[in-house]
Amino acid sequence: MVRIFRFCILLVTVSMLFPLGIGYSAVEEQINDVEIKVQNLFQKMTPEEKIGQLFLVAFQGREVTKKSEIYDLIVNRHVGGVVLNLANDNFTSINTVENTYQLTQTLQQIEWEGPIEPESDESNTNTNQPDNYIPLFIAISQEGDSYPNNSIINGVTTLPSQLAIGATWDLNLAEEVGNVLGEELSTLGFNMLLGPSLDVLDVPYVEGGDDLGARTFGGDPFWVGELGKAYIKGVHAGSNNQIAVISKHFPGRGSSDRLPENEVATVRKSLEQLKQIELAPFFSVTGNSPDEETTTDGLLMSHIRYQGFQGNIRSTTRPVSFDQSAQEQLMSLPAFESWRNSGGVIVSDNLGSNAVRKFFNPSGEGFDPRQISRNALISGNDLLLLDLYVDTHDLDPYSTTIRVLEFFTQKYLEDPAFSQRVDSSVKRLLKLKYELYGDFEIENIIPDVENLEKVGNNQQINFDIASNSVVLMSPDLVELGVILPEPPQRDERILFITDTISARQCIECPSQSIFGVSTFQEAVLRLYGPEAGEQVTPSRMSSYTFADLNNYLMDPQSLSVLDSELRNADWIVFSFIKPKFENQDSMALQRFLADRPDLINNKKVIAFGFNAPYYLDATDISKLTAYYVLFSKTAEFIDTAARLLFKEISAEGVLPVSVPGIGYDLISRTAPNPNQIISLFMKTPEIISPGSGDPSPDFSRIPKVNLGETIRLETGVIVDYNNNPVPDGTIVRFLFNYIEKGTNIQQVEAITQKGIAMVSYRVQNTGLMEIRAVSDPAYNSELIQIEVPVPEGAEATIVVLSTPEMTETPSPALTATVTPTEPVVIIENNPPLLPRFSDWIATVLIVTSMSVGVFFFSKRRIPIRWSTRWAILAFIGGLLAYILISFQTIMRVEWTLSLKPIDLMAVSFLGGIVGCFIGWIWYVRGRVELRKS
């Protein structure tokens, strides 16, 4: 009996493990471990170390010796990180990959070891590193499409622009680009990416202003969010979760007409309007993202003002990065609040930018970096980005940075409220660093040098995106086949005119062509020249720049050769990037089309845009034979343009932004396609479906649903004109029509999630009911008919029917032939309801009560020892049943996934009954053996 009681105690203990273990995943255990590490390290940090962690600093050049300024900032001032960029001359064009890796390694080694240049012959290795060693953030902005949006333009894979990704509408390609970027940057030693941009190009372009161009995914908030999530997931996966992704430019700059680097723009929008457009993608990568891999680690707070932010159109915020009230209001939104509570980090945009200087110091005097930094921190930023941060009283950014750090340290010691704000941010930053590396050991921080050989060898993704993103702007494919039935022939003359761009990787580096005068011609010769089929003749091809064309337009006599080429050409091929009104050369195409129509008569004039698609107006486009947009200017996109010119491929992409010049409206394009038939499904508790146990169910009859019963309706995936799922939030109306009653059609609205809308409806009347679904302008749906008598069961019969115009007046019965079809089976993919601690308590109480009941019921009929055995067996049977089912639920055994807690308790009760039955058999057997003896 003692052994039996011990066994019972063991069962109780084992059964407790299930509810206590549920929900306490390895991720939660890791989070708790990180928080403990953060707290332990934080308690040992000095005020100077805490203050230093708040700053992400830039520095000039590549020198990181003991005498360098960045060495002092890292070793003695304990800055939290550095940001590397092209403008500060941090890279070189010679062995770019190897030298970049060496730079990031040295920066981390400085923090770990201290001096990197020994003054004596003694070993440099310092095994007594400080107890408070904290690795640096090493940040970079690498947006794609080479210069000027990439900091590294040599050695790495030159990935396409975000708008090129958006034009594919392909989440897998977005994730793959992020994967390549994350892998290569992580291999080089970077652990923070200032990107991607989640701006929505709501107002893509204002003539005379400036815009983000191809630096964002597009103009639809839903798709910008979806592509952003896929991109972030790729960066995390490619870097093995060792790159912190800082999405920008929060809370959204798509409606501004100024670049964030140049001037503080003002946008007239209220908070409610921002929620609909600008903030929607940021919601997607914070609170609305169930997958941690798709969740952004931080947000880059932009310098932008909003007029009417709080509803008063006459009220304008300060730049949001310096407006505590505005930031608090934004972060109190549910999605951002939960993200912040789980450790989300806010990084300020560059506090030393021209935009900040112009706003706070229009006259050039009175610019106080200390107060600006303090305001940025108090407003809610955790990590302050200082690049070219110079006070008018200081000689260089280094001196200003030192003064800011000393000012912050003094405030920390004197002002309790300020110190509390600092502590909160420091803990967030430490948490993020621990999540990147686990333990602060130098072996975890510095990547393996052997992986450098993989950097720069991922060009295939460029070909995939180029071929899937190119858009034929004008004319359409049918008309193009009539206008241009043949590609250029060998005897035809082709004139290439190109908007060139060049750059330097560093100040001393030689200038290199990013898009050269002969780049397009060279691609054509390589693909179709004498060594590739001889479709063109090199001597009948020539190339000029937009600068040449602009000079010709101003003085035709000065370029007589170009004049001759223009007059004799059969094909004129323009390649342009991004026109700038301040640069007359970049506007040469528009001037040529307006001023010299005589030179394009009877010629085939083809334009290729290698940036955003909206820089030509309707008049310009009407003068072109064909107009293509490729969104990016990497070599693979130029090759794609050549293949388009020679009709080897056709344009497959769809515009991700509105383009007034061709009457393309993105909102209309992402509306439900009216040519589709919306699928419609119904589910009730009594629906008959295959596998229900009925070997030959009768589907010929109209299904029946009880009066007052609630049915669940669900559409199939509703697609837009691009055959993609419609954006989340698209309105779907479910129409309920009681045919025999002659009542008004009842409507219930729902919104889509991943293209699917669901609604629950309580049956309110008897007779024949028809159910349809419409989503403007898609009015065709499948039809469900059900009969509502007094009882029983339901099953759905579906026919395809064109839905008529909706009316609010009593509608006559719809005439339709309802044909029997196969039953609709809805497979729910809901997560299983795992046992909780409260379920365990309830189960133990039920099993114990049953055991006690068995004991008192049987003790008057059988000996007391057998009554005790029966009670114990009932208890054991109930707990064994609970443990068995709980284990199978945790292991995701299919038949247990739909069990509810009440089902688990019922199974335990049945297990107790089985235990009683075993006890009864044991008792009877004992009685029989006793009689035999």
Side-chain angles (χ1 to χ4, degrees), residues 449-654:
V449 68
E450 295 180 358
N451 293 328
L452 289 181
E453 61 185 21
K454 301 178 183 178
V455 175
N457 299 318
N458 297 284
Q459 304 300 336
Q460 182 59 45
I461 184 61
N462 277 336
F463 283 107
D464 295 339
I465 291 179
S467 59
N468 285 281
S469 64
V470 59
V471 174
L472 175 60
M473 301 286 289
S474 176
D476 59 35
L477 280 173
V478 176
E479 187 179 353
L480 180 67
V482 176
I483 298 174
L484 291 178
E486 299 292 337
Q489 303 299 304
R490 287 189 62 188
D491 60 345
E492 292 183 311
R493 302 189 68 87
I494 308 175
L495 175 61
F496 297 96
I497 303 178
T498 303
D499 186 9
T500 58
I501 182 172
S502 60
R504 298 176 186 271
Q505 183 67 83
C506 63
I507 295 175
E508 299 86 5
C509 298
S511 176
Q512 58 189 88
S513 175
I514 303 300
F515 201 149
V517 58
S518 60
T519 299
F520 204 136
Q521 179 178 335
E522 290 169 358
V524 169
L525 286 173
R526 186 177 66 255
L527 295 171
Y528 305 102
E531 297 180 1
E534 292 189 279
Q535 289 181 250
V536 294
T537 304
S539 61
R540 303 186 71 82
M541 303 169 63
S542 57
S543 297
Y544 292 86
T545 67
F546 268 38
D548 295 331
L549 180 61
N550 188 51
N551 291 332
Y552 168 78
L553 293 173
M554 290 189 294
D555 183 9
Q557 302 300 322
S558 63
L559 287 168
S560 58
V561 176
L562 178 55
D563 180 76
S564 175
E565 294 279 6
L566 286 168
R567 295 181 185 279
N568 295 325
D570 297 291
W571 295 72
I572 303 178
V573 179
F574 290 97
S575 301
F576 66 97
I577 302 174
K578 183 179 180 180
K580 297 181 180 179
F581 280 86
E582 65 273 16
N583 181 359
Q584 289 301 310
D585 290 345
S586 70
M587 302 296 295
L589 172 58
Q590 287 90 329
R591 285 193 59 196
F592 176 77
L593 294 175
D595 298 346
R596 298 303 302 267
D598 58 302
L599 294 177
I600 61 177
N601 288 334
N602 301 318
K603 301 182 189 299
K604 302 175 183 69
V605 183
I606 315 297
F608 291 94
F610 293 91
N611 199 274
Y614 39 69
Y615 296 123
L616 298 183
D617 61 27
T619 303
D620 294 331
I621 295 173
S622 68
K623 299 174 183 178
L624 300 172
T625 308
Y627 174 30
Y628 294 91
V629 172
L630 291 97
F631 305 101
S632 207
K633 58 183 181 291
T634 67
E636 294 78 14
F637 283 80
I638 296 170
D639 284 355
T640 299
R643 297 179 192 277
L644 288 166
L645 180 64
F646 282 82
K647 302 181 76 69
E648 182 180 337
I649 61 174
S650 58
E652 300 291 339
V654 177

Side-chain angles (χ1 to χ4, degrees), residues 59-62 85-94 147 151 153-154 388 503-512:
F59 64 98
Q60 292 281 338
R62 298 176 295 280
N85 58 49
L86 182 148
N88 286 330
D89 206 24
N90 296 136
F91 307 103
T92 176
S93 59
I94 302 174
Y147 180 85
S151 294
I153 58 177
N154 292 298
L388 300 179
R504 298 176 186 271
Q505 183 67 83
C506 63
I507 295 175
E508 299 86 5
C509 298
S511 176
Q512 58 189 88

Side-chain angles (χ1 to χ4, degrees), residues 770-791:
E770 292 182 345
I771 307 172
R772 296 163 303 198
V774 298
S775 182
D776 298 339
Y779 295 108
N780 296 331
S781 80
E782 294 175 340
L783 172 71
I784 292 180
Q785 289 187 335
I786 60 174
E787 185 179 344
V788 189
V790 178

